């Protein structure tokens, strides 16, 4: 039986989560169907555009993503503090960008006077909207429903397009976050859809590299904040240049099987205290090695305690590969 979503997400322990959605039909999400010869490559743009749009509406940031032939990988950061900071009006305006709302929410946005009972009803509605705008479940629901409707319309059929539930993994520390992001960014290279990170279309790494050429970072992706003093603050806790070098070197090792070259990426690996040979395995087999929350022992223990989990399924692999 699938684990309840509330038993997988603990914002007290981490705000970073890896989400995977897979198609259920033989028809591709993107790419070219070898049996029919029909190309669905244009759907990759659908996913990327919708994903980046939602990041500007929800209080959820995108750390990494890759749009594959029959599935998508997304690493998300839940900014619940931002959701709590936003004014009531800002929350409603954001929600109206996704849904129609109702007569009361429109009356409120238009600054029309509300009576006492209407204020009470409106407060409950806004509380619900505020919670949903920082919910991974709602983020993935809005993303997947829109793509499913468009794909079904194009295919001239009805029914499920995605699996019933998306998979999510909690990333409990910097080591897990870096490994998972690299795993996601390198998905097209492992699938032979691209030869280099900069040519991996519809991925976060290609977008970051393109902006890095001009000394900038993409506004619609969570920024790299360097090596801040706080533990896992807003902003990815790595240097952008080291991360790009790390992905490139790891990708070269995967293509040419030159494991020694990964030693050139020591600035980040040394700080995360991960052995190069373990890093290669993490970034090639992340979802095979880990089937739940990922992090070192102390982070895993806190996470399981908060969610009242007795079983620590990934602990042995985490200790072996993350240290």
């Amino acid at each position: 039986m699938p684990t309840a979503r509330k038993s997988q997400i603990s914002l007290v322990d981490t705000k970073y989560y890896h989400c995977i959605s897979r198609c259920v039909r033989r028809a591709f999400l993107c790419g070219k169907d070898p049996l029919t010869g029909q190309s669905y490559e244009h759907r990759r743009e659908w996913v990327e555009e919708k994903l980046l749009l939602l990041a500007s509406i929800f209080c959820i940031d995108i750390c990494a993503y890759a749009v594959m032939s029959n599935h998508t990988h997304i690493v998300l950061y839940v900014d619940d503090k931002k959701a709590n900071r936003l004014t009531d009006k800002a929350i409603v305006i954001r929600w109206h960008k996704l849904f129609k709302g109702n007569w009361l929410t429109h009356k409120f946005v238009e600054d029309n006077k509300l009576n006492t009972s209407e204020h009470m009803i409106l407060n409950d509605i806004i509380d619900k909207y505020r919670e949903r705008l920082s919910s991974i479940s709602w983020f993935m629901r809005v993303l997947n429903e829109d793509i499913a409707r468009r794909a079904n319309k194009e295919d001239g059929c009805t029914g499920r397009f995605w699996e019933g539930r998306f998979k999510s993994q909690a990333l409990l520390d910097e080591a897990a976050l870096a490994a998972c992001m690299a795993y996601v960014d390198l998905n097209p290279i492992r699938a032979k859809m691209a030869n280099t990170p900069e040519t991996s279309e519809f991925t976060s790494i290609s977008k970051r590299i393109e902006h890095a050429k001009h000394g900038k970072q993409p506004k619609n992706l969570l920024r790299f904040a360097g090596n801040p003093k706080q533990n896992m603050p807003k902003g990815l806790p790595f240097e952008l240049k080291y991360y790009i070098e790390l992905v490139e070197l790891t990708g070269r090792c995967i293509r040419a099987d030159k494991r020694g070259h990964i030693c050139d990426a020591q600035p980040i690996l040394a700080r995360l205290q991960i052995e190069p040979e373990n890093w290669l395995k993490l970034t090639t087999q992340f979802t095979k090695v880990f089937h739940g929350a990922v992090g070192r022992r102390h982070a895993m223990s806190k996470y399981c305690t908060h969610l009242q989990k007795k079983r620590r399924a990934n602990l042995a692999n985490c200790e072996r590969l993350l240290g």
Side-chain angles (χ1 to χ4, degrees), residues 89-301:
K89 191 171 184 178
I91 289 292
V92 175
I93 290 174
R94 284 175 178 247
W95 189 257
H96 283 175
K97 292 180 180 180
L98 299 171
F99 301 100
K100 294 180 179 179
N102 57 35
W103 66 272
L104 187 55
T105 59
H106 284 281
K107 187 176 180 180
F108 170 66
V109 170
E110 293 166 5
D111 294 323
N112 293 322
K113 189 175 181 179
L114 304 179
N115 59 41
T116 303
S117 61
E118 287 175 337
H119 267 296
M120 292 178 63
I121 297 172
L122 180 66
N123 288 338
D124 289 338
I125 293 173
I126 293 175
D127 287 344
K128 186 183 298 182
Y129 289 173
R130 192 182 300 275
E131 181 181 354
R132 290 176 177 177
L133 286 175
S134 60
S135 165
I136 289 179
S137 293
W138 271 89
F139 184 97
M140 296 301 294
R141 171 182 175 178
V142 175
L143 171 65
N144 288 345
E145 282 186 356
D146 180 70
I147 302 304
R149 288 194 187 99
R150 296 178 69 177
N152 281 349
K153 183 178 180 180
E154 185 177 64
D155 294 341
C157 65
T158 59
R160 287 189 178 277
F161 182 79
W162 303 97
E163 288 182 351
R165 285 163 51 93
F166 67 91
K167 295 180 180 178
S168 66
Q169 291 179 295
L171 306 174
L172 303 179
D173 52 32
E174 291 183 10
L177 175 62
C180 188
M181 286 181 60
Y183 167 80
V184 170
D185 279 329
L186 287 169
N187 251 248
I189 292 177
R190 288 195 304 276
K192 297 183 179 180
M193 295 171 64
N195 293 322
T196 60
E198 61 270 23
T199 58
S200 299
E201 294 184 319
F202 306 105
T203 62
S204 53
I205 189 64
S206 64
K207 186 172 290 292
R208 291 190 188 280
I209 291 174
E210 182 61 32
H211 282 74
K213 292 177 182 177
H214 307 285
K216 300 179 180 179
Q217 293 197 47
K219 293 182 179 180
N220 42 23
L221 296 178
L222 186 59
R223 293 175 58 84
F224 280 80
N227 187 15
K229 296 179 181 179
Q230 300 179 29
N231 185 30
M232 302 285 277
K234 178 66 180 289
L236 294 164
F238 317 117
E239 292 284 352
L240 174 59
K241 62 179 181 179
Y242 289 147
Y243 178 75
I244 292 177
E245 290 173 2
L246 179 66
V247 172
E248 181 180 357
L249 289 168
T250 307
R252 189 179 302 122
C253 288
I254 293 171
R255 294 196 312 272
D257 197 26
K258 297 179 180 179
R259 297 169 65 91
H261 285 205
I262 206 166
C263 295
D264 294 337
Q266 281 302 302
I268 190 172
L269 293 187
R271 183 161 59 84
L272 298 179
Q273 297 179 340
I274 301 177
E275 293 298 322
E277 58 269 20
N278 287 344
W279 179 259
L280 185 60
K281 187 167 186 177
L282 284 168
T283 53
T284 57
Q285 303 178 35
F286 194 89
T287 53
K288 291 182 180 179
V289 174
F290 303 114
H291 299 284
V294 186
R296 291 193 169 100
R297 173 180 280 274
H298 68 281
M300 185 74 74
S301 296

